[in-house]
Amino acid sequence: MKPSKRCTADAEILLAFRSAYVDLINSSRASSDGLYSTLVPAVPQPEYQILRRDVALASGPAAAAYSRYGGTYTLRNAAVIRRDVNPVVNWEMSLRSPEELSPEMVVSSVEGAIGAARQEAAEAQQRERGLTGLVAAFVRWPSDLREAVGPDNQAQRTAAGAIGVLGQIIVATLATALGTGLVAGAVALWTAFF
């Protein structure tokens, strides 16, 4: 997969998480027992459980995407210091302890990661244009081929890698021959006119 497409896909995955999370937060209300406050359902329990499930399902792929574009937090309360808190992985903490990890912090962190992924996609798209992008596509070809085969069949992955390397050798040979031909043609034209 081209880097620009991977970054765009990451942005979409993060956006799906953000949407599911915001729906859940909008269906919650604050509750306090005097010492601690939490977010509890503001809609019927079955509907709330569906919303929680949607966030949990979206958080799996979003966690990997967030780790490429977002940061972690060190959170402190009176008794505990938590380091390297990923707001996507720890989204449920914002329901149990919104003072510690606020929903606003989760949303703004994810939005920042979405922006970074979109920026990276735009920059990658610029790099993919022209000769440099063509060369990068050929260099990336064996890994793309292995990815298309999938992780389950090691023999097929090995064969796909070998085919990809063989294809790169053929393309490099043709590119060298074409380059040599172009240089020879330019020299012939130069000597014909001068």
Side-chain angles (χ1 to χ4, degrees):
M1 178 184 294
K2 287 183 176 182
S4 63
K5 289 186 179 182
R6 185 176 308 271
C7 294
T8 301
D10 283 344
E12 293 302 317
I13 288 168
L14 289 164
L15 189 59
F17 170 80
R18 181 201 176 279
S19 296
Y21 180 76
V22 168
D23 288 345
L24 178 66
I25 294 303
N26 287 339
S27 299
S28 303
R29 63 178 175 75
S31 175
S32 178
D33 64 2
L35 285 173
Y36 301 104
S37 69
T38 60
L39 295 177
V40 296
V43 295
Q45 191 65 27
E47 182 180 338
Y48 194 75
Q49 289 307 319
I50 290 170
L51 293 170
R52 282 179 65 94
R53 184 202 66 210
D54 291 346
V55 175
L57 290 173
S59 72
Y66 181 83
S67 67
R68 289 188 280 278
Y69 308 102
T72 59
Y73 294 95
T74 297
L75 302 177
R76 295 180 184 137
N77 66 17
V80 179
I81 295 176
R82 294 186 178 115
R83 299 189 190 283
D84 300 326
V85 174
N86 178 325
V88 174
V89 172
N90 301 109
W91 63 270
E92 195 170 346
M93 183 187 296
S94 69
L95 301 176
R96 289 188 320 250
S97 182
E99 293 88 18
E100 209 173 346
L101 180 65
S102 71
E104 293 83 8
M105 183 183 255
V106 173
V107 171
S108 64
S109 298
V110 171
E111 287 173 343
I114 291 168
R118 287 180 176 165
Q119 178 65 33
E120 183 67 29
E123 290 172 5
Q125 193 172 29
Q126 290 297 321
R127 289 189 302 267
E128 291 165 1
R129 293 189 176 132
L131 182 60
T132 304
L134 186 61
V135 170
F138 285 119
V139 170
R140 199 174 51 248
W141 188 34
S143 65
D144 288 349
L145 196 55
R146 282 192 301 274
E147 188 177 310
V149 169
D152 295 336
N153 192 330
Q154 186 59 36
Q156 286 180 346
R157 287 177 57 82
T158 303
I163 290 169
V165 170
L166 181 62
Q168 283 180 322
I169 292 169
I170 291 169
V171 168
T173 303
L174 291 174
T176 303
L178 181 62
T180 304
L182 288 173
V183 169
V187 169
L189 282 174
W190 182 264
T191 56
F193 289 113
F194 299 104

